[in-house]
């Protein structure tokens, strides 16, 4: 489309779609005209009163179709539609991302098709007004318009020999040839196979979305494995810390019950971690149903929360054991102070007794 055409044409409606064209060799298969979804727009050329569908892919126009009143946009599936352009000698197909987008495009096509019909009728009226030498027989014209609105009416001219002139004869021949080409194109193309091609396009799109969802699920599984490894390291650290605290305690018998409880908690946590590892292996083998993966993901998150809660409880128990150890140490230090005080008192008493003994011994010698 040239720059002058861009200036005089105004966009009416635009949509994103995958563009296809019928294979000119077989008239049965679809050939993709674009690698990705492109913008497909309706344009109106006010200078010529013409409506067109235009789509540009890169630097070339992949759709340049002038809308005529006898065109029909057909929805062949929930997301695919097509129309035949006899002037371009091809059939265009559009694959949309949603059924709503297809419906909007079809409604816009219908409205612009009606507008093209009205524009053609107005151009015919202007042609009649611009030729005052033509004497149009009104009853005959009304009858012919009611019989075929798309065929130009027959005009009679009052003159020698009662000669008859056909207005817009070239337009009539063009419409007739266009109808024949459309009928031939639709008869050669197998509508069933076209529908199958459209359904294949839809299935390929759904398959791509499913693969993307599975890839996201795989990345989530890797994140869960990393979190489980971190929890395993944290559990080992807590276990070492508990063993160290037990070694530092002066009375292991008093902390035996806490030790057993902590051991049970650690065993439960290890069992849960092993179960989680098994679930991860199961997740890696189950990649056929995205909904099932989502459900198992929620269950895994819930179990991870349970593991976090158990870790918090274990940390609380470790904190309590540390407090108990600190209290035992304080009591032991206090007992040592009391013992040293008693020993000092006993030393003083022993000195006093020794002095008394010496005094008694001197008295006995005298």
């Amino acid at each position: 489309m040239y720059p002058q055409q861009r200036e005089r044409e105004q966009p009416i409606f635009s949509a994103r779609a995958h563009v296809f064209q019928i294979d000119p060799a077989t008239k049965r298969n679809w050939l993709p005209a674009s690698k990705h979804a492109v913008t497909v727009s309706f344009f109106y050329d006010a200078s010529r009163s013409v409506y067109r569908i235009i789509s540009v892919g890169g630097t070339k126009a992949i759709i340049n179709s002038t809308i005529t009143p006898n065109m029909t946009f057909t929805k062949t599936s929930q997301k695919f539609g097509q129309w035949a352009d006899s002037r371009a000698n091809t059939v265009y197909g559009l694959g949309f991302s949603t059924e709503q987008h297809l419906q909007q495009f079809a409604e816009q096509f219908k409205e612009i098709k009606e507008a093209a019909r009205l524009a053609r009728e107005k151009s015919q009226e202007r042609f009649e007004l611009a030729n005052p030498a033509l004497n149009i027989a009104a009853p005959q014209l009304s009858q012919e318009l009611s019989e075929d609105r798309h065929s130009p009416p027959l005009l009679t001219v009052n003159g020698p020999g009662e000669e008859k002139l056909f207005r817009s004869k070239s337009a009539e021949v063009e419409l007739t040839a266009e109808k024949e080409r459309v009928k031939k194109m639709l008869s050669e193309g197998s509508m069933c196979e076209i529908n199958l091609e459209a359904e294949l396009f839809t299935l390929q799109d759904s398959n791509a979305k499913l693969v993307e969802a599975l890839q996201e699920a795989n990345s989530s599984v890797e994140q869960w494995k990393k979190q489980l490894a971190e929890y395993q390291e944290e559990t080992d650290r807590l276990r070492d810390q508990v063993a160290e605290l037990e070694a530092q305690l002066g009375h292991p018998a008093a902390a035996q019950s806490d030790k057993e409880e902590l051991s049970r908690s650690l065993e439960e946590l290890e069992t849960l971690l092993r179960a989680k590892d098994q679930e991860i292996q199961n997740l890696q083998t189950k990649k056929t149903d995205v909904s099932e993966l989502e459900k198992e993901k929620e269950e895994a998150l819930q179990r991870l929360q349970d593991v976090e809660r158990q870790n918090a409880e274990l940390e609380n128990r470790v904190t309590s054991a540390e407090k108990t150890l600190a209290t035992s140490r304080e009591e032991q230090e206090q007992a040592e102070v009391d013992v040293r005080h008693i020993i000092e008192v006993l030393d003083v008493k022993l000195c006093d007794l020794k002095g008394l003994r010496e005094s008694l011994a001197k008295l006995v010698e005298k």
Side-chain angles (χ1 to χ4, degrees):
M1 187 167 57
Y2 298 101
Q4 294 180 353
Q5 291 176 326
R6 291 181 181 271
E7 292 177 359
R8 71 188 183 188
E9 288 184 333
Q10 300 296 327
I12 300 174
F13 176 81
S14 297
R16 299 280 296 179
H18 291 267
V19 180
F20 298 86
Q21 289 186 11
I22 201 70
D23 188 354
T26 62
K27 301 293 184 180
R28 295 176 179 272
N29 301 323
W30 287 111
L31 298 178
S34 61
K35 295 181 179 179
H36 308 286
V38 296
T39 302
V40 182
S41 303
F42 291 92
F43 282 86
Y44 175 63
D45 187 350
S47 62
R48 296 189 301 166
S49 299
V50 172
Y51 294 89
R52 293 198 298 168
I53 301 177
I54 297 175
S55 178
V56 178
T59 58
K60 69 174 184 178
I62 56 179
I63 298 179
N64 188 0
S65 177
T66 301
I67 301 177
T68 59
N70 60 332
M71 282 185 176
T72 301
F73 184 80
T74 304
K75 294 187 289 185
T76 57
S77 68
Q78 293 182 351
K79 299 180 182 179
F80 196 87
Q82 66 183 43
W83 79 95
D85 188 342
S86 58
R87 294 183 179 181
N89 193 24
T90 187
V91 178
Y92 292 104
L94 297 180
F96 295 88
S97 59
T98 62
E99 185 177 359
Q100 182 181 2
H101 292 165
L102 173 61
Q103 182 64 27
Q104 292 175 355
F105 189 90
E107 293 175 356
Q108 193 69 30
F109 192 100
K110 184 177 180 181
E111 293 177 2
I112 292 179
K113 172 184 172 182
E114 182 65 19
R117 184 186 65 80
L118 296 176
R120 173 173 289 187
E121 291 181 356
K122 289 181 180 179
S123 65
Q124 290 177 356
E125 291 177 0
R126 286 197 297 268
F127 177 81
E128 294 171 3
L129 294 176
N131 293 271
L134 297 177
N135 184 14
I136 302 175
Q140 183 180 359
L141 177 61
S142 301
Q143 182 178 1
E144 290 173 354
L145 284 175
S146 62
E147 291 175 355
D148 186 2
R149 296 187 62 103
H150 299 294
S151 299
L154 181 65
L155 303 181
T156 60
V157 179
N158 294 327
E162 296 293 329
E163 294 177 354
K164 295 183 179 181
L165 299 178
F166 291 89
R167 181 166 50 87
S168 303
K169 185 175 181 180
S170 60
E172 180 182 5
V173 173
E174 182 180 355
L175 287 174
T176 304
E178 184 177 359
K179 289 179 181 179
E180 292 297 328
R181 284 195 296 269
V182 171
K183 290 179 181 179
K184 182 179 179 181
M185 190 179 301
L186 293 177
S187 62
E188 291 177 352
S190 175
M191 297 300 295
C192 180
E193 293 187 4
I194 290 174
N195 292 338
L196 290 176
E197 292 285 342
E199 292 296 333
L200 178 61
F201 166 75
T202 304
L203 290 175
Q204 289 176 348
D205 190 16
S206 300
N207 188 30
K209 293 180 180 179
L210 182 60
V211 170
E212 183 179 358
L214 288 175
Q215 291 175 353
E216 293 178 357
N218 288 336
S219 62
S220 299
V221 169
E222 294 297 330
Q223 293 178 359
W224 297 341
K225 290 178 69 176
K226 291 180 180 179
Q227 291 180 358
L228 287 174
E230 293 176 358
Y231 290 146
Q232 182 69 43
E233 293 177 358
E234 183 68 16
T235 301
D236 295 338
R237 186 184 64 81
L238 292 174
R239 182 189 298 169
D240 296 338
Q241 189 174 0
V242 170
E244 184 179 354
L245 289 174
E246 290 177 351
Q248 293 178 359
L249 286 174
H251 303 283
Q256 186 66 27
S257 59
D258 293 338
K259 178 181 177 181
E260 292 177 355
E261 186 175 357
L262 289 174
S263 299
R264 285 195 300 270
S265 299
L266 289 173
E267 290 176 356
E268 292 176 358
L269 185 58
E270 289 175 352
T271 303
L272 182 60
L273 289 174
R274 286 194 296 269
K276 191 60 186 176
D277 290 335
Q278 185 64 33
E279 289 177 1
I280 290 176
Q281 294 177 359
N282 294 335
L283 280 175
Q284 291 177 347
T285 57
K286 295 178 183 177
K287 295 181 180 178
T288 57
D289 192 355
V290 176
S291 60
E292 184 177 354
L293 285 175
E294 289 294 332
K295 183 178 179 181
E296 293 181 358
K297 176 182 175 182
E298 294 177 358
E299 294 177 354
L301 289 175
Q302 182 64 35
R303 292 176 181 175
L304 284 175
Q305 292 176 358
D306 295 339
V307 170
E308 290 177 353
R309 186 171 59 256
Q310 291 180 1
N311 282 337
E313 293 177 356
L314 187 58
E315 288 178 354
N316 292 333
R317 292 175 182 174
V318 170
T319 302
S320 177
E322 289 177 349
K323 291 180 180 179
T324 303
L325 178 60
T327 303
S328 299
R329 285 180 176 177
E330 291 177 357
E331 292 177 355
Q332 186 176 358
E333 291 175 357
Q334 184 64 35
E336 290 177 356
V337 171
D338 293 340
V339 169
R340 283 197 295 270
H341 180 69
I342 293 172
I343 290 172
E344 291 175 357
V345 173
L346 288 176
D347 290 339
V348 173
K349 296 295 184 181
L350 288 174
C351 289
D352 293 340
L353 289 174
K354 185 177 180 182
L356 180 59
R357 181 180 178 183
E358 291 176 355
S359 298
L360 290 176
K362 289 179 180 181
L363 290 175
V364 170
E365 290 177 355
K366 292 180 180 181

